[in-house]
Amino acid sequence: MAEDLLSPQRIDDVAERYPQVPRLLARLPADDLLRAGRLLSRVSPDEVLRAHPTTPTLTIAVTGHGTLSALVPALTAQLARHGILLRPHLTDYDSYVFELSDPDSELHAANPDMALCVLDPAVVFDEVPTPWHVDDVEKVLAEKTALVEGIAARFADTARGVLVLNTVPLLRRHTGQLVDLKSRARLGVLWREFNARLLALVETNPSVVVIDLDPLVAEGVEVTDARLDSYAKAHLSQDLLAAYAREVGHLARNLAGRTKKCLAVDLDNTLWGGVLGDDGPEGIEIGGGYRGEAFRSFQRVVAQLGSQGVLLAAVSKNDPEPVRAVLREHPDMVLREGDFVRVAASWWPKSESIAALAEDLNIGADSFVFADDSPYERGQVRHALPDVAVVDLDDEPALHPHRLLLDGWFDVRELTGEDLKRPAKYRDELVRKDFMHGFDSIADYLAELGVRVRLARVEPADVPRVSQLTLRTNQFNLTTKRLQPAEVQSLLADPSAQVLAIHSGDRFGDNGLVGVVFTRREHDVVHVENFLLSCRVFARGIEQACLSSVLARAKAAGASAVVGRYRPTAKNGKVRDFYPRNGFVPAGAEDDTSVFRHDLADIAAVPGHVRLTENFGGTP
């Protein structure tokens, strides 16, 4: 089927077949992936959306100093790999200063979700004199630093999207023009200080992301093609632009709410060498020899991901007790049983183990990454659970870390305190599931669970977590409006808007900030612009309690009605009737969004098993 996709004769079929595209692209080599990107870039996004209206779509503007047309097909392919449709906007050659700074520019008119300002070495060296000295470069670097910082600040003030910058590689052809090593060293210092200033922009400007090209170059990617650089002003090589596009794809996945949550990892020949059932605990390879050290190194990488909020699950075809014994007792293991939210050791098909875990954790199969050395097991999971991202490992453990990390499956813009607590909270959630099984009815379970809810206005310290919830929450997300931190901050400063954080807890502990309600008052009507809730806390009465509170508050403040909206997506079908179930009546539609209205005459009470506290702050 991949060959069909790559055939220009089949281009007319691509829009109809777009949901199949991610699976077809998943295992293509780099050259074929770029070729597929060229084909896909010829497909109209509007045609795809007519056939598949819930397809996530991002508008990305591309601007910079050099010729960047080769970046568009690379971006198209990388976004398509993650099921995202690209609307590209490519600016004219060397127009980045005007396009990013002027709110009346075509770039601003495109209203991009991301604006890629691609920087290259010629940004600096096109402006040094001939001959040049290090002092000349220092002057230009200072000017460019001030220019880029000014552009970033201006863009944050005038645009809603994310500005993506990059560090700039220093070429041998430039350092080689200096014949004394002391001058070369000074140029290196100045250049690294310039890149450090670029990287530091993320600390002061929440609208900025900086992609560091140094790690890509360090892996052997050529920075430039001398002929294309000279003849076409394409200052970065096609290979580097392709690697850059892959990094942008990770960010795009996050912006589209498609960041993965759980790493399901095999054990035999993946976390350790050998087969536990055949070799026994004393015969598996962990530490000791060179292969054993490679497996330990991979375990360290997995542990590092887990320490940053990635849920870890062991999925293995083994008897459970020997597996648990190794995880608890083997002296060379880095990962222990407590590092996993679930150790699924059984003889079930691995797809069934993953599906059962998804149900227990109340997350979708599309939240999983599955890493296994067995082609059979990978193929079985791909076939049964096509939404799971599958990492192809093999019999070379030294390459396991590279293959797992290549696609940045768990990348987010910023870690929050809630991220670091996530594994413990999901482990608590599994305890809640076990607790529930001891009751004859859901009502009895909820009565004993002791649900606590605090609905309070968002504080500045909560902004990163609120933004993250809008980016990551898909199932209970009534309009799927994705907001960057700067956009949340802007709403906090808007006197007509109110952003309310939902905190919850119960007898098993604190769940933290698990949801958000966005409201805006226009005259005597309160509009619920979005309502979202983490999948961890569904079906406990939390959503009904918070909606009841918002309605009662609106009535007390003199509002005549509350209006809510629901925009369907591929993931939020379970809340399509949320407003009708809670006393709202249909009130028309706005494009693809259904509108509902509550006249505040009959407001349902907060569920009796929920203990609710409120702090609205101001008038809704």
Side-chain angles (χ1 to χ4, degrees):
M1 293 185 73
E3 289 74 14
D4 289 345
L5 176 70
L6 296 173
S7 170
Q9 288 73 34
R10 301 298 301 274
I11 190 170
D12 293 338
D13 298 337
V14 173
E16 287 293 333
R17 301 169 61 201
Y18 200 81
Q20 302 174 39
V21 167
R23 275 168 275 166
L24 296 175
L25 298 183
R27 302 177 68 188
L28 287 183
D31 289 345
D32 285 347
L33 188 62
L34 190 57
R35 199 152 54 90
R38 294 191 188 102
L39 174 67
L40 291 169
S41 64
R42 294 162 52 192
V43 178
S44 166
D46 292 329
E47 289 183 19
V48 176
L49 291 171
R50 275 193 290 273
H52 308 285
T54 60
T55 305
T57 305
L58 291 179
T59 299
I60 299 183
V62 177
T63 191
H65 177 64
T67 301
L68 294 166
S69 54
L71 185 54
V72 173
L75 288 171
T76 303
Q78 290 298 335
L79 267 66
R81 289 178 62 234
H82 303 302
I84 303 168
L85 189 61
L86 172 67
R87 286 190 185 276
H89 176 82
L90 181 64
T91 70
D92 293 337
Y93 172 80
D94 197 22
S95 61
Y96 71 99
V97 176
F98 165 75
E99 291 285 354
L100 292 170
S101 302
D102 190 336
D104 295 324
S105 69
E106 291 183 2
L107 184 150
H108 279 262
N111 193 25
D113 299 286
M114 275 193 279
L116 311 182
C117 179
V118 183
L119 304 175
D120 56 61
V123 166
V124 176
F125 280 99
D126 277 357
E127 296 190 17
V128 299
T130 302
W132 56 271
H133 302 281
V134 176
D135 289 346
D136 298 315
V137 178
E138 181 178 23
K139 179 182 177 183
V140 176
L141 287 172
E143 292 169 351
K144 292 301 177 183
T145 299
L147 175 66
V148 172
E149 290 174 345
I151 288 173
R154 178 71 168 158
F155 187 83
D157 289 340
T158 57
R160 69 169 183 86
V162 176
L163 175 61
V164 181
L165 303 169
N166 59 273
T167 59
V168 183
L170 178 60
L171 299 177
R172 175 66 176 80
R173 87 163 183 235
H174 293 131
T175 60
Q177 295 178 47
L178 297 170
V179 297
D180 70 295
L181 298 183
K182 184 176 180 180
S183 294
R184 288 186 191 178
R186 182 168 171 238
L187 177 60
V189 169
L190 294 172
W191 203 271
R192 286 164 178 80
E193 288 175 347
F194 170 60
N195 280 329
R197 290 283 294 273
L198 292 175
L199 291 166
L201 277 171
V202 302
E203 301 292 338
T204 56
N205 191 325
S207 297
V208 171
V209 168
V210 182
I211 294 176
D212 191 353
L213 297 188
D214 280 356
L216 306 181
V217 175
E219 291 190 341
V221 180
E222 291 287 343
V223 175
T224 188
D225 180 310
R227 289 171 297 180
L228 290 176
D229 187 1
S230 181
Y231 302 148
K233 304 302 181 187
H235 301 306
L236 298 178
S237 73
Q238 181 173 285
D239 288 346
L240 185 55
L241 289 178
Y244 168 87
R246 195 177 195 110
E247 299 297 312
V248 173
H250 306 167
L251 175 60
R253 189 175 58 228
N254 178 243
L255 296 184
R258 296 199 159 202
T259 300
K260 305 297 184 180
K261 296 178 181 178
C262 184
L263 172 59
V265 63
D266 175 43
L267 297 178
D268 290 338
N269 288 315
T270 297
L271 286 188
W272 57 63
V275 177
L276 179 60
D278 295 336
D279 302 320
E282 67 285 346
I284 59 176
E285 296 177 284
I286 323 171
Y290 69 93
R291 279 178 55 84
E293 284 302 323
F295 285 110
R296 273 176 60 88
S297 178
F298 183 55
Q299 287 194 32
R300 290 189 190 97
V301 171
V302 173
Q304 176 70 14
L305 294 175
S307 73
Q308 298 167 89
V310 175
L311 307 177
L312 303 180
V315 178
S316 175
K317 283 187 175 177
N318 264 305
D319 292 324
E321 282 312 311
V323 166
R324 294 184 187 280
V326 169
L327 293 175
R328 292 169 183 163
E329 301 166 12
H330 198 291
D332 293 324
M333 283 291 294
V334 175
L335 291 163
R336 295 296 180 185
E337 186 176 12
D339 293 314
F340 298 96
V341 293
R342 172 66 56 84
V343 176
S346 72
W347 296 101
W348 295 2
K350 291 190 177 182
S351 62
E352 293 185 18
S353 295
I354 294 172
L357 180 57
E359 182 176 356
D360 287 344
L361 294 175
N362 203 12
I363 60 178
D366 61 342
S367 294
F368 281 80
V369 175
F370 173 61
D372 198 305
D373 70 293
S374 166
Y376 169 79
E377 300 294 354
R378 298 195 304 268
Q380 193 272 327
V381 169
R382 278 194 176 101
H383 176 75
L385 298 173
D387 289 337
V388 172
V390 177
V391 177
D392 293 326
L393 305 180
D394 58 19
D395 59 359
E396 179 45 82
L399 297 179
H400 286 5
H402 170 76
R403 289 172 175 159
L404 175 61
L405 300 175
L406 180 62
D407 268 307
W409 294 114
F410 308 103
D411 287 1
V412 296
R413 287 189 59 190
E414 180 182 359
L415 275 180
T416 68
E418 292 291 330
D419 289 323
L420 301 178
K421 299 173 185 175
R422 184 181 298 115
K425 292 184 185 302
Y426 273 95
R427 280 192 287 270
D428 289 345
E429 185 57 29
L430 293 176
V431 174
R432 289 183 184 90
K433 293 275 186 180
D434 294 339
F435 178 69
M436 180 177 68
H437 295 325
F439 291 87
D440 294 330
S441 71
I442 291 293
D444 291 343
Y445 162 68
L446 292 174
E448 291 298 319
L449 188 59
V451 179
R452 306 183 304 275
V453 177
R454 180 166 63 91
L455 185 64
R457 63 180 179 181
V458 167
E459 300 297 333
D462 297 328
V463 167
R465 171 60 176 166
V466 169
S467 170
Q468 185 186 74
L469 278 169
T470 72
L471 296 172
R472 295 176 67 114
T473 305
N474 294 303
Q475 296 180 66
F476 196 115
N477 191 332
L478 288 164
T479 63
T480 323
K481 291 181 179 178
R482 313 292 186 186
L483 300 178
Q484 297 303 316
E487 294 173 286
V488 177
Q489 196 69 55
S490 177
L491 288 173
L492 297 188
D494 185 342
S496 67
Q498 192 161 60
V499 186
L500 300 171
I502 303 170
H503 304 259
S504 77
D506 55 40
R507 65 182 293 164
F508 293 104
D510 179 25
N511 290 312
L513 203 168
V514 294
V516 195
V517 184
F518 296 87
T519 70
R520 181 181 300 277
R521 180 155 184 163
E522 295 180 358
H523 306 298
D524 65 342
V525 175
V526 173
H527 295 262
V528 180
E529 297 196 325
N530 201 12
F531 190 149
L532 50 94
L533 193 67
S534 169
C535 57
R536 284 191 289 118
V537 295
F538 284 178
R540 298 178 193 172
I542 294 171
E543 54 270 43
Q544 291 87 354
C546 292
L547 184 59
S548 175
S549 177
V550 168
L551 294 174
R553 176 68 177 182
K555 182 175 183 177
S560 64
V562 171
V563 171
R565 289 168 173 80
Y566 168 70
R567 176 180 173 272
T569 70
K571 301 292 177 63
N572 70 355
K574 66 171 56 182
V575 294
R576 67 168 61 90
D577 62 345
F578 175 68
Y579 285 122
R581 281 191 288 107
N582 288 279
F584 287 69
V585 297
E590 300 169 352
D591 297 326
D592 60 348
T593 300
S594 299
V595 181
F596 300 91
R597 185 180 181 93
H598 197 297
D599 64 8
L600 303 179
D602 185 13
I603 300 172
V606 173
H609 67 274
V610 176
R611 191 172 80 220
L612 175 70
T613 58
E614 306 162 311
N615 177 14
F616 282 81
T619 302

